[in-house]
Amino acid sequence: MNPVHAFVIVMLVWTVSDLVAKRTQSLLSSLFVASIIFLVGFLTGIFPEDLLASSSLLALAGVVVGFVIVHLGTMISLDDFKKQWKTLLVGIVTVIGIGLALLLAGFIFGPRISGSAADGYAQALDFVIAGTGALSGGTISVLIVQEAALGVGLTSIAVFPVLIAALQGLIGFPLTSVILRKEAARLKAEYRAGTLTPVEVSGDETGQNEAQQSRLPAPLRTTAGTLFVVGVVVLVSLGVNNLTDGILNTFVVALILGITLRTTRILKPSVLSGIDAFGLMMIAIMILVFGPLATVKPSDVGALAGPLLIAFVFGVVGIAGFSALVGKLLGYSVPMSVAIGLTSLYGFPGTMILSQEAAKGAGETPEEVATIEHEILPKMIVAGFSTVTITSVVITSIIAGRIGGG
């Protein structure tokens, strides 16, 4: 497909999605609307399968996603990060809850969806393992499950997590959007009652105050200079990932380095805000969410419709139940706790976009928006990493060997 044609179509879809989100005050998130448009477009053949790749945005996203992770780190102060141990715990318990809920589903529905592994059919436990990895994790978890399933000849189990990964945003985005709206409304009430500490809204972060916010020399505070410095940080993160064989994930390291460099004033808060390239970088990263939708085939969905429905229903119930219980015990509100748990369905960049949309939908002044976002965003960012990037990969690596009765 012509690259310019593809680029224009993608921008049109995102423009419409953003408009709907604003008109509905984020009740329908831009991610959800765009997901629906792309899914329908790909399933009906209106959009060619190579639409996103042809737009060049997928390639750009692969390059800049680490840059935006560093940027997220510079949006969170060290004190904010230290406070998120509760969020980390809720995320860990949520992933365990997904596994237990799907295990229960396996016991209830197993005879209807399973056969003998020796005959080449998937057992209920295989769907439980694949569903746990896919519902709570990202690409790495899906690849782990696929490798284990293909190793024992279970093609259906290899396809199953791919379909979950492609479709779970359609569940996670609207649920989280509704729940975060409730949390944002609660925080707005606290702000107006004077029980929530206001967050100062800074002025021009790239103007005259920049020297006080960053120790970098002036040439490294330009668009090109900033991208160079952040790029070096991403390369360091990649190096740590490679040296540790992925135990210290690139994005986790990038987030920690972003927080550290902000704390030491080497990078200014929200380091990429104000540079000419940031808007395009964010759009490119959001396109990553829709990439798997291009590969969804109606026949695959039809063949696995039963296991998919069961996985999503029991998975969401497990998420809501376990996250709400643990979050409440730790002092979080139920909406915030459940929103933290739901990050397992999508991770970044949904964690950032949905938080910002909820804050903008509830806040009526820049100060209200900033204060609400300050309360929600750090929790959602840390939650996404604790569920998708850390806990899920660890748990999936442990249980994947059980596929096929291994």
Side-chain angles (χ1 to χ4, degrees):
M1 186 176 187
N2 180 279
V4 176
H5 190 189
F7 186 88
V8 170
I9 291 175
V10 170
M11 291 302 162
L12 174 61
V13 171
W14 195 253
T15 300
V16 171
S17 304
D18 194 43
L19 177 63
V20 172
K22 290 179 179 177
R23 290 289 177 85
T24 62
Q25 293 185 315
S26 300
L27 179 61
L28 296 175
S29 74
S30 54
L31 285 173
F32 174 68
V33 176
S35 295
I36 292 294
I37 295 174
F38 279 119
L39 179 62
V40 172
F42 288 128
L43 287 178
T44 59
I46 295 175
F47 294 161
E49 190 172 321
D50 65 344
L51 171 68
L52 300 180
S54 297
S55 72
S56 300
L57 290 170
L58 280 179
L60 176 61
V63 174
V64 303
V65 62
F67 288 61
V68 177
I69 296 295
V70 174
H71 171 77
L72 287 175
T74 64
M75 293 175 68
I76 305 172
S77 69
L78 187 58
D79 287 340
D80 289 335
F81 189 72
K82 289 178 180 177
K83 295 175 183 177
Q84 299 310 318
W85 66 269
K86 295 180 180 179
T87 300
L88 182 65
L89 186 57
V90 173
I92 292 172
V93 173
T94 294
V95 176
I96 296 173
I98 292 172
L100 293 176
L102 293 187
L103 187 60
L104 175 62
F107 284 127
I108 296 174
F109 297 99
R112 304 178 190 178
I113 62 173
S114 65
S116 170
D119 295 331
Y121 294 98
Q123 301 179 74
L125 181 61
D126 298 327
F127 282 101
V128 169
I129 295 171
T132 301
L135 277 177
S136 62
T139 303
I140 296 176
S141 297
V142 171
L143 291 175
I144 292 172
V145 171
Q146 279 188 313
E147 182 178 358
L150 292 175
V152 293
L154 295 178
T155 305
S156 62
I157 296 300
V159 173
F160 188 57
V162 176
L163 292 176
I164 288 180
L167 300 174
Q168 61 188 359
L170 298 175
I171 308 296
F173 295 148
L175 285 177
T176 306
S177 182
V178 171
I179 291 169
L180 281 183
R181 278 167 56 91
K182 293 183 178 180
E183 177 66 6
R186 184 186 70 81
L187 291 170
K188 180 172 75 172
E190 286 192 6
Y191 176 84
R192 294 186 174 183
T195 58
L196 193 63
T197 305
V199 174
E200 292 185 9
V201 180
S202 58
D204 182 8
E205 292 184 347
T206 62
Q208 61 181 358
N209 293 327
E210 189 176 81
Q212 286 78 39
Q213 296 175 335
S214 172
R215 294 179 178 179
L216 294 175
L220 295 180
R221 297 199 300 267
T222 62
T223 293
T226 298
L227 291 175
F228 166 73
V229 172
V230 175
V232 170
V233 176
V234 175
L235 288 175
V236 171
S237 304
L238 283 167
V240 172
N241 176 85
N242 294 336
L243 285 174
T244 61
D245 276 335
I247 294 175
L248 293 177
N249 180 272
T250 299
F251 299 149
V252 174
V253 176
L255 181 70
I256 293 173
L257 286 178
I259 296 171
T260 303
L261 292 173
R262 166 187 161 146
T263 302
T264 55
R265 290 183 52 215
I266 294 175
L267 297 180
K268 70 183 181 72
S270 302
V271 63
L272 295 182
S273 294
I275 71 168
D276 298 333
F278 184 54
L280 182 60
M281 291 168 70
M282 277 306 306
I283 291 176
I285 290 174
M286 287 184 284
I287 295 302
L288 282 174
V289 176
F290 314 123
L293 295 177
T295 63
V296 174
K297 294 180 173 57
S299 57
D300 292 334
V301 176
L304 293 171
L308 282 171
L309 179 61
I310 292 169
F312 280 124
V313 170
F314 277 79
V316 170
V317 169
I319 289 170
F322 280 81
S323 61
L325 176 62
V326 176
K328 192 67 176 177
L329 291 174
L330 294 174
Y332 284 171
S333 69
V334 171
M336 189 70 250
S337 302
V338 176
I340 288 171
L342 287 171
T343 61
S344 60
L345 295 178
Y346 48 86
F348 178 82
T351 48
M352 179 176 70
I353 298 167
L354 294 172
S355 300
Q356 292 174 336
E357 287 184 345
K360 291 176 182 177
E364 298 178 10
T365 65
E367 292 76 16
E368 279 188 347
V369 172
T371 301
I372 294 170
E373 184 177 312
H374 179 74
E375 291 294 320
I376 293 176
L377 184 59
K379 294 183 179 68
M380 292 293 285
I381 295 300
V382 173
F385 280 104
S386 69
T387 55
V388 175
T389 308
I390 303 175
T391 311
S392 176
V393 173
V394 172
I395 291 179
T396 304
S397 299
I398 294 171
I399 65 177
R402 297 294 303 166
I403 289 179

